Amino acid sequence: MKKIYLIRHAQSAANAGKDGDTVSHANADIPITGLGREQAAQLSAWLLEHVGNVREIFVSPYLRTRQTAEPYAQAVHMQPTVLPDLHEFNYLSFAHICGKTFQDVKMQSEHYWARNDADFRDGADCDSFASFFNQISNIRRYFAEKGDGVYVVFGHGFWIGVLLWQLIGRYSGSLDMQKFREFELLVRPKNTDVYLWQIDDKTESIAKVRNTDDDRETVFQAA
C-alpha cells in the first residue's frame, strides 16, 4: 500500500493579503510569510512525531511548497523531488492581475468561474480547468505505479480540492466548474492541513489527519 501524506503549503503572502493590497508576485513565486515559517516549523514537528519510514518527499515547482517543506526536509536529511504536475491551478494570467488590488482580482476570479468553460485559458501562462483536472489524474497514476511505502507531498489548496472531487465521487463525468467551485469552497484545506491518501491495488481513500487548528480527523471515502 502507498501512504501519501498530502499537505497544503504554509500561509503565503497571497493568503495573507488584504483587499487593498496589490498583486506583485506571479503564482509560482509567491513566498510564505513569517507566520507561514512558524507553521512550517510546527508542521515539521508534527510529521516527525507521526510519520516514519518516509521513502521520498515531493514538492511542487512553486516557491511556497519548497519553503514549507524545508524544515522537515532538513530534519530528515532528505532532498525533496520536484513534481511539475503538483503545481497549483494557475487560471488568471499574471499580465492581467499584476498591480491590481486583491479585491479586483477576486472580481476577475468570479468572472472566470462564471464562464464555466473548462477549456478556456486566460493567457499563455495559464492552465485550463480541463488541463488542471488531467494534471491531478496524472499524479494519481504516478503514485499508483510507485512502490509501496510512505511518501510526503507538499502541495496546494485547489489541487487538493480537485483530488477530493475525483476521489469521493462528486465528479460525475462532466467538468462543471460551478459545481466544482461550490464543492471546493466547502472542503478547502487550511494552510498546513495534512491528508492521508492511501492507494492499494483495488482502492483509494483519503482522510484529513491534521487540522491545523484543532487536530480533528475528517474522513472521506473514495466511491
Side-chain angles (χ1 to χ4, degrees):
M1 175 177 284
K2 274 74 72 170
K3 293 186 175 183
I4 302 150
Y5 288 87
L6 177 60
I7 303 156
R8 187 186 177 199
H9 60 80
Q11 186 193 66
S12 71
N15 300 147
K18 305 294 191 296
D19 284 352
D21 294 342
T22 56
V23 174
S24 58
H25 296 94
N27 202 347
D29 302 324
I30 299 170
I32 63 174
T33 63
L35 174 59
R37 288 190 290 274
E38 294 175 11
Q39 290 174 336
Q42 293 165 359
L43 171 66
S44 175
W46 186 91
L47 289 168
L48 289 169
E49 180 180 354
H50 292 89
V51 181
N53 301 314
V54 175
R55 293 188 60 170
E56 202 165 355
I57 300 170
F58 296 93
V59 294
S60 87
Y62 286 15
L63 175 62
R64 53 196 182 273
T65 63
R66 302 199 306 273
Q67 290 178 325
T68 304
E70 185 175 6
Y72 177 66
Q74 289 180 349
V76 295
H77 307 291
M78 295 177 71
Q79 181 66 35
T81 299
V82 177
L83 282 183
D85 277 346
L86 283 174
H87 79 73
E88 182 59 307
F89 190 23
N90 196 33
Y91 62 92
L92 294 178
S93 175
F94 186 57
H96 296 161
I97 63 175
C98 181
K100 293 192 175 181
T101 67
F102 279 63
Q103 182 61 38
D104 288 338
V105 172
K106 286 179 183 177
M107 293 177 63
Q108 286 183 242
S109 175
E110 292 307 315
H111 288 312
Y112 172 85
W113 289 103
R115 292 177 67 103
N116 205 18
D117 181 352
D119 295 316
F120 173 74
R121 293 178 188 264
D122 191 50
D125 58 336
C126 292
D127 308 299
S128 68
F129 186 70
S131 68
F132 186 69
F133 184 91
N134 290 334
Q135 177 182 314
I136 282 76
S137 298
N138 290 340
I139 291 290
R140 288 176 66 188
R141 287 190 290 271
Y142 176 83
F143 279 109
E145 294 170 1
K146 296 286 283 185
D148 287 350
V150 178
Y151 302 90
V152 176
V153 177
F154 293 83
H156 300 270
F158 269 112
W159 200 105
I160 294 171
V162 172
L163 177 66
L164 290 170
W165 200 42
Q166 292 184 4
L167 284 180
I168 71 173
R170 295 294 183 90
Y171 168 63
S172 60
S174 173
L175 292 182
D176 189 320
M177 293 170 56
Q178 292 181 335
K179 287 185 178 179
F180 167 74
R181 183 66 163 159
E182 293 171 1
F183 171 79
E184 188 272 331
L185 289 170
L186 290 173
V187 302
R188 182 179 296 176
K190 297 184 294 294
N191 298 114
T192 66
D193 278 357
V194 182
Y195 295 77
L196 176 55
W197 171 24
Q198 299 187 91
I199 306 173
D200 64 21
D201 291 338
K202 296 181 180 179
T203 62
E204 285 181 83
S205 64
I206 192 164
K208 188 190 289 186
V209 294
R210 180 182 189 255
N211 272 294
T212 301
D213 293 337
D214 57 20
D215 272 354
R216 288 178 301 170
E217 181 176 288
T218 305
V219 177
F220 304 92
Q221 183 65 46

